[in-house]
Structure formats: structure tokens, C-alpha cells
Amino acid sequence: MNDLLQQFLVESRELVAQATDDLLALERTPGDAARFDSAFRAFHTLKGAAGIVDFDAMARALHAAEDALARGRGAPMPPAHVGDYLSCLDQVIQWLDHLEASGAPPADAEARADLLVRRFAEAAATPGDAAGDAADDTEADLWVDGLLAAAGEARAQARTALRLRPAEDCFFRGDDPLAVIETLPGLLVLRLEPAGPWPPRDEIDPFACRLVVLALLSAPEATLASHLHTVHGQMDVVPLSPAGPQDTAPSALPAAARALLEAQLALLSDRGAEAAAGRIASAGRLAENVLRRVGAAAAAEAVARAAAASAAAGDPGPLAAAIRQALAGATQAPAATDAPRAAAMADTARTLRVDVARIDALVKLTGEVTVAKNAVGHIARLAQTGTDLPALAARLKDQHALLARLTDELQSAVLNLRVLPLRHVFQRFPRLVREISADLGKPVRLVTEGEATEADKAVVEAVFEPLLHVVRNALDHGIEPPARRSAAGKPAVATLRLHAARQGERVVIAVADDGGGIDLPRVRRIAAERGVAGAEAVAALSDAEAIDLIFRPGFSTAETVTGLSGRGVGMDAVRAALARMGGSVAVDSRTGHGTTVRFTLPFTVMVTRVMTVEAGGQAFGIPMDAVVETVRVPRGRIVRVGAAAAFTLRERTVPLLSLARELGGPADGTASAEAQVVVIGTDGQIGGFEVDRLGERLDVVLQPMDGILTGMRGIAGTTLLGDGRVLLVLDVQEML
Amino acid sequence: MSCTVLIVDDSKLARMSVAKSLRSLHPDWTHLEAANADDALAQVRKHKVDLALLDFNMPGRDGLTLAAELKAIDPSLPLAVVSANHQEEIIRKAQEIGAVFLAKPLTEKVLAEYLSGAASRRNAAAKE
């Protein structure tokens, strides 16, 4: 992706955030002129940005929005219009996401832009305009007919006729009408005619423009607007052959692309040839690339899916069918919008935008490391001459201390590269909260704090889903309907607070509502009803423990599953999602005053403090945050429970697993009188691993498993030890 | 002759885009950037600027106000006010100040024409 496009993405996201902010403020105070100007400027700059990167559909949609804004200037903004503008911004975000993931606008961008343009046009429709157009009709026909008659073969392709009568003084205004016409897409015919009878030769003013520019274009009218407002003068644009609006679908593939796709079909149909799998793979990849190249992203995705299906089945049929469909221009409606979205999320996690200052810090550190290396080299040469060893040792120690500091700094500088502000996540909520609150009929004021708090990119990107779920819950279940709020003496407009803060090596994100709090008796009742826990067990729980019931699988307090919260993900999914990031979730509820859900996340997911242990003759790492304690248990106190074993620790029964056996090795070590046990606690569960020996504690940079080991259960990742051995770090949660 | 062009726009993307066109048109020219009117004035005071391209729509003072301020400092400085809004009023005001109006997004072609005209005028003025 080139740097212009990168900057476009960064800047556009900032502008969308700014405009969203302004619009929401305008919704509260519709007459706020400063906010209006700011929103207007944001839309305007977004339009300009789209123009710079030649994203015509986006420019067109934003132009329509900007026009609508300009018309409404000076008057309070009607709430319905706020929704229109926000929808437009939402579309822009989706376009940006697609662009970021695939490097090209989505295939249906033009169609979606049309929808927005129409929406703004409908909002603005005034009877006066229509009357003006009608008056010109008869005269219009004459020049269009003349132009078409002169067009010859080009006539069939003509979609728009254009007549421009530039202002006489246009040259003095810096206008160049011909240059503008030249930039129009799909210019078929261009004619220049005198605007009227020429004056006598000695009266001609050579600096006055007395021409009429007539043009026929193959581009539809809608795509021309953004080009044409640069020219001044009277302009008539007449759409031609309105019978074929379906032609606007991007079905026509360029000839070269068509030829390539057909060649792939021929390759696939060649059943006699060897190596069908190779042919499927290469034909699939080529077809996909060709389609992506010409902007048919939906078709490209369909081909990619079909190629995978073909490869799996060893049958070129599905792929050939998909290619044929792409050739026929039958791009499926993007019904499965969620899938590309998810893919986009996965893709973005692999590219990184980095603040230059952070790179500079790295460069500087690299320099310092080099200096330290040279110093060590010098000491090594001195050591070879064998003089004054105590002095050398002292210098070596100094250098070691220096290197230790530098590597620490280098490590944190590298980790800082992966840092993003939480703004990326928070900025999506104003619009979402507004929508949800409108759906539910519960007015809500959203307050966000600490957006500048930074966290590892992986954390920032993964936290959106669980956060959205908690926000939905707060609006759906936490916040009471306005009437009940008023009855309770609370303001009718509820407040939802999104707050982020850095606490040491952790980032805490809180979602706090001022609703009714968690209805604990109901939670207990439902937990018992749904069999989340036994009725007696539920009754025996303290209030704090009862709150924890909402995190149990199968629990959902919504009596009727609403479209908002009831998407099959409960708080158990939230807890699991956070656990995957190395975080946790806690709830604090005060009846009548509200609920606060707090996510505690690691600032970085990369450095893990591990304890090394030896089992079955191999070293393993156990993440320190899972280690509760280490104990030596006499063999006599280990009780066999069927095939399993357990021991008692402070009146609690702890299941005991032999780490060596769990990992498929021999279970030796039973000869010793005592078992060395590492007690692990995660998610309230507790368990013991018997190991041969305890090792040291290390800070390691965990490499996730890749290649064929991806998805291997029980292993969280690997790290390289000082002596070059690979240390497998266990995912104890998975093993318990 | 090599020129120094000042690009004033609150959008970094717009500045990058103009700078890119500029580099391909005149690799030997230098350019300065400013994100707002105050930055622009500071640049003009600090460096010798031969040409300035001003975005109209900026937070704070707009491109027309800035154009007037720049003309007060250097009356012979060729200026262009760039905007995606083609309101007659902006164009007329730009002309009154003695600036050329250019449409946004600024294409390389439009920029090339403007630059050749402006640079030759600047050179002619320098010789007088």
C-alpha cells in the first residue's frame, strides 16, 4: 500500500471521528454553529481526501452529504438528518476497512454511493427545482438530438449528454472549461459551437469566451457531478437511455481479464492432464488476483472460496463454476458481510502503522548497542593479553550492566511499536450507542474517558467485540426505561461511561452504567432454573459469588432474547475472549445505582513471565500468572481417585496431574518420597502439576505457534532459552 | 530556476499529494509545508518562498485570509487558493487579492500549468 493511501486511511478515520463527534453534539444542541462548521469541514476534507486517492464513489457520497449540509447551514439541524449523515460516515468506515484490508474499494461502492446520494437528494427535494427543469425540456431535446445524430457509432455507448456555456469572463477566473471537459470519464464526442452570432471582427474581444461546449459521454450522469462543479457558467446535463440502469453494475470485465479467466477455465477442463491439485491451486490464485485487480472483490472472494472447495474435493468443478459466474458478471450480493469483516480484522492485525518517533528511538538504541558491543570487543582484546584481570572483570561487569539496560530498553521500544491508543475502539461506540439507545427507546449519554490510553495492538483490536457485548448488555439490561428511572428519582437520560486507564503493566477498561444494577435474586433464580448450578449451591452463594453466575456458560438473563444482547454470546464468551488476551473481567453492581464491568488486560501480550520446570527430562515454561504456589507433597498424602490423583491443600482438594504423562511422556519420578507440585489456578479452577524439578523465573517473549503447529492444544507458545534450547510454554488453562 | 513552493493545507494527505506531483514535475524544486495559517506565516518569514498553494478550507483562518496576509508581506508572491468548493464568492475574492483559484483535488496537469505560469511571472518580476 502506498504512503498516500496509508495517510488517506489515517486521516479519513480521524475525520470520521471528528464528524461523528460533531454530529452527536449537534443532536444535543442543534443550533451549535461551531460544531456545524467543524462537521462541515470534516465532510469537506473527507471528500477532498477521497478525490486525492481517486475513490470516486466515496467522493460522490460525501459531496452529496456536504451539499445537504450546506443547504441546512444557519438552521438547527433536524434530528432525522443527523441519522443520514451518520449513516454516510458509517458507510465511509466500511469502505475504509475494506480498502485497508484489500487495497481496493469494494465492488459495490458505486451502488452504495448511489443509495447515499439518493438519500440526500430525497431529503432535499424541493418542488422549485423540478419546475425549472421542465421548462427547458423542449429546447434540451434539440441539441441532444443534434449531438446524437453527429455521434455515429459512439451513439450506442452514450449515457450522458452535456452542454456547457462557460461564462464570458471565465478565462479571467482561472477557468479552463475545455480542460475540465477533457477530464470527464468516458468522453465520446466533443463539439464546440459559437454561443451566438459572431460580432463584427473589429469588435471581437479575444479574451471573452463565446463558445458552447457539447459532449457525449459513456459515463452515467451521477459520476460526473464531482468533476463538473469546477466550471462556471450554464450547464445542462441530460441522461440518455434511462432504460438500462442495470448496466451500472460493474459486470463488464476488461478484455484482458476476460481472456485470462477463460484461459483458466480451459486449464481446469483439461481433465487428461496430471497434477489436478496444482492446476486448481494456480488457476484459483490467478483468477482471484485477476478479479481483485479489476476491482471485482466480491467475485474474487467467491472464486477464492470455490478454489478452496475444489482443492479440498480434488474436483475442479466448483472453481470452474465460480470463474464462469464471474465471467457472466453474476457477482453475488454481499450477504455474508460478516465474513469479509472478520477477514479484515485478521488482516489488519498483520500490518502495523508506527509513529516515526518510535522508530527513531529504536535507531538511537541500536547505535548505543553498537557502542557497547565495541567496548566489549576492546575488553576481549585486553583479556587476550592477560593483563590485570581484576580491572578487566570490573570493566566487563560495567559493560554487562550497560548491555542489560540497553536490551531492556530495546525490548520495550520494540514492544512500543505494537502499541495503539484505545481511541481506535472507543470511537466506534458513539454511533453504536446512539443506534442501540434509539432502538430500545432508552435515551443514553455516552461519556468516553482515557481514549489516549495505549495498549498492544492485538489487545486493542481484540477488545472491541467483548466491549460491544458489555455495552449492549448495559443498555439492554442495566439501564432502566426512562419512566422507571424518573420514578426512581434518576435523570431520564442515562449515562454510560467508557473509561480506560493504564495501571502499571495492565490496562483497565471499565463500562459503567447508572442503571438499576444486577438483579441478584433474579440471577439466582435463573441460574437455578437453567441448571447453571444446583438450587442449593446457588442459594449458598454469597452475593459476590452470585454475580459470578452471569459468567457461567448457558446463563443469559434476558427473559426474551432481544436482537441486541441475545446473539448467542453470553458473558461467558466475554470472559473467554479476555482470557485469550491474558486478561480478566470483573463486575461490580450496586442495586439501584448501576453496574460497572471492568476488563483488566495486559498492556502487552508479548512479554510473559514464566517459571521453568522439568518433567520427563524436558524443560517447560508455565506462565507465572497461572502459578498459585509450589508445594512438596509427601506421596502418602496423594489419594488415588479412580485413574486420577488428588491431594489436599489447606482443606481444599486439588486434582494432581503428572506433567510428563499429560504431555505423553513416561511418568517416572514416582520413586521420590515427595512430589514436587506446581499449583495452578485459572478461572477459579485449581489444579496441581507434578514436575521433576523447578527451574528459574524468566521474562520471555512468547512466539505463538506457527506453521503446522498452529492450533496445537496445550501449548501457548515457544521461546528461545539463553543456551539456545527451545522452551515450550504451556497453556495451563487448556490442560486443566 | 529552482523554486521553493509553500504548501498550506490542514490535511497532511493533501500536502503529500501536492508534494508528490511537485516532485514528479520539478524534481529540483524544494517545498515547505504548513498545516495552518500561522505555520505558513512562520515559514514565509523564515525561508525564501517563491510560490504558495493555500487550501481555502482550514480551521482557524481560511486560505483567503492567509492569502491577504501573505500579500501584505510579499506583494509579488504568486499565490493560488485551492478549494473543492467552487463558490463564485471564493473565486471572486481570490481574484481581488491577486490569487489564482485552483480546483481540488489538484491534478498534476492543472498544477503543471499553474506552476509554469507562476514561476515565469516570478522570474520576470525578479529581473525587473
Side-chain angles (χ1 to χ4, degrees), chain A residues 569-735:
Chain A
V569 269
M571 289 299 281
D572 57 325
V574 170
R575 173 171 277 184
L578 287 167
R580 274 198 296 279
M581 287 180 255
S584 61
V585 54
V587 182
D588 182 22
S589 161
R590 286 171 62 215
T591 309
H593 294 278
T595 310
T596 301
V597 177
R598 210 168 265 110
F599 292 179
T600 306
L601 294 155
F603 171 70
T604 158
V605 290
M606 293 181 81
V607 167
T608 316
R609 196 161 172 77
V610 300
M611 184 169 118
T612 62
V613 297
E614 236 173 81
Q618 217 197 322
F620 296 99
I622 297 177
M624 276 301 286
D625 41 14
V627 175
V628 178
E629 62 184 296
T630 61
V631 287
R632 300 187 78 86
V633 184
R635 297 262 164 228
R637 279 180 42 212
I638 298 174
V639 201
R640 294 274 144 201
V641 187
F647 67 99
T648 311
L649 180 68
R650 286 188 290 278
E651 294 173 25
R652 196 167 166 186
T653 305
V654 181
L656 181 66
L657 302 168
S658 158
L659 188 56
R661 201 169 333 142
E662 285 306 309
L663 295 167
D668 55 6
T670 41
S672 58
E674 285 180 328
Q676 177 67 61
V677 175
V678 182
V679 181
I680 307 292
T682 109
D683 262 358
Q685 278 182 292
I686 195 164
F689 281 120
E690 185 186 336
V691 301
D692 298 345
R693 210 164 290 109
L694 296 179
E696 50 192 335
R697 289 168 190 199
L698 294 172
D699 280 329
V700 299
V701 177
L702 209 54
Q703 303 288 337
M705 303 296 263
D706 57 12
I708 53 167
L709 296 178
T710 314
M712 186 170 163
R713 295 169 71 86
I715 306 288
T718 60
T719 190
L720 222 53
L721 290 176
D723 57 8
R725 278 185 302 157
V726 172
L727 182 73
L728 291 174
V729 177
L730 304 176
D731 183 355
V732 287
Q733 211 171 339
E734 184 83 28
M735 299 178 71

Side-chain angles (χ1 to χ4, degrees), chain A residues 160-180:
Chain A
T160 312
L162 176 93
R163 178 174 61 174
L164 172 68
R165 276 185 281 207
E168 281 204 359
D169 61 345
C170 69
F171 301 141
F172 292 97
R173 303 177 185 219
D175 269 6
D176 186 346
L178 265 188
V180 170

Side-chain angles (χ1 to χ4, degrees), chain A residues 506-597:
Chain A
R506 311 237 116 200
V507 174
V508 177
I509 303 175
V511 180
D513 67 58
D514 63 350
I518 293 176
D519 183 351
L520 276 180
R522 206 166 132 246
V523 166
R524 287 177 194 271
R525 181 163 50 81
I526 289 170
E529 276 171 17
R530 301 200 177 155
V532 172
E536 283 152 43
V538 167
L541 293 174
S542 70
D543 281 357
E545 287 167 330
I547 284 188
D548 212 53
L549 287 170
I550 65 170
F551 292 110
R552 301 278 182 90
F555 184 94
S556 172
T557 56
E559 269 161 5
T560 52
V561 172
T562 67
L564 297 170
S565 305
R567 292 202 177 174
V569 269
M571 289 299 281
D572 57 325
V574 170
R575 173 171 277 184
L578 287 167
R580 274 198 296 279
M581 287 180 255
S584 61
V585 54
V587 182
D588 182 22
S589 161
R590 286 171 62 215
T591 309
H593 294 278
T595 310
T596 301
V597 177

Side-chain angles (χ1 to χ4, degrees), chain A residues 366-385:
Chain A
T366 313
E368 288 185 48
V369 170
T370 312
V371 171
K373 181 204 78 179
N374 293 342
V376 172
H378 179 64
I379 294 171
R381 276 192 299 282
L382 287 181
Q384 274 176 335
T385 64

Side-chain angles (χ1 to χ4, degrees), chain A residues 237-435:
Chain A
V237 181
V238 177
L240 301 172
S241 60
Q246 66 270 29
D247 291 353
T248 50
S251 61
L253 292 169
R258 199 163 265 286
L260 278 168
L261 291 177
E262 277 159 4
Q264 302 319 306
L265 277 180
L267 179 70
L268 287 172
S269 66
D270 186 4
R271 288 180 188 279
E274 302 284 304
R279 272 186 289 127
I280 289 170
S282 73
R285 207 172 314 122
L286 200 143
E288 186 192 342
N289 286 343
V290 165
L291 288 166
R292 244 180 241 297
R293 179 89 201 158
V294 299
E301 268 153 31
V303 164
R305 276 196 300 275
S310 277
D315 168 20
L319 178 57
I323 295 178
R324 249 176 247 121
Q325 210 162 17
L327 276 167
T331 46
Q332 290 114 324
T337 44
D338 282 348
R341 270 278 177 101
M345 302 270 272
D347 277 349
T348 50
R350 263 181 258 125
T351 59
L352 197 57
R353 235 178 344 256
V354 178
D355 187 348
V356 178
R358 297 201 159 115
I359 297 288
D360 290 347
L362 265 181
V363 171
K364 187 169 148 278
L365 273 169
T366 313
E368 288 185 48
V369 170
T370 312
V371 171
K373 181 204 78 179
N374 293 342
V376 172
H378 179 64
I379 294 171
R381 276 192 299 282
L382 287 181
Q384 274 176 335
T385 64
T387 50
D388 198 6
L389 282 178
L392 277 181
R395 289 176 73 170
L396 202 51
K397 195 157 165 274
D398 286 350
Q399 288 304 321
H400 176 256
L402 178 65
L403 272 173
R405 179 180 66 79
L406 287 175
T407 41
D408 276 358
E409 282 180 25
L410 204 52
Q411 192 178 42
S412 67
V414 169
L415 294 179
N416 267 330
L417 292 180
R418 291 186 45 99
V419 156
L420 276 184
L422 279 162
R423 184 175 298 110
H424 282 245
V425 178
F426 279 16
Q427 75 178 30
R428 298 172 70 176
F429 281 95
R431 193 180 49 77
L432 289 166
V433 168
R434 181 182 179 277
E435 270 171 21

Side-chain angles (χ1 to χ4, degrees), chain A residues 112-139:
Chain A
R112 295 203 172 237
D114 286 342
L115 288 178
L116 285 167
V117 169
R118 217 169 301 143
R119 186 161 169 178
F120 286 117
E122 276 162 18
T126 53
D129 289 356
D133 285 351
D136 276 352
D137 264 5
T138 44
E139 196 234 357

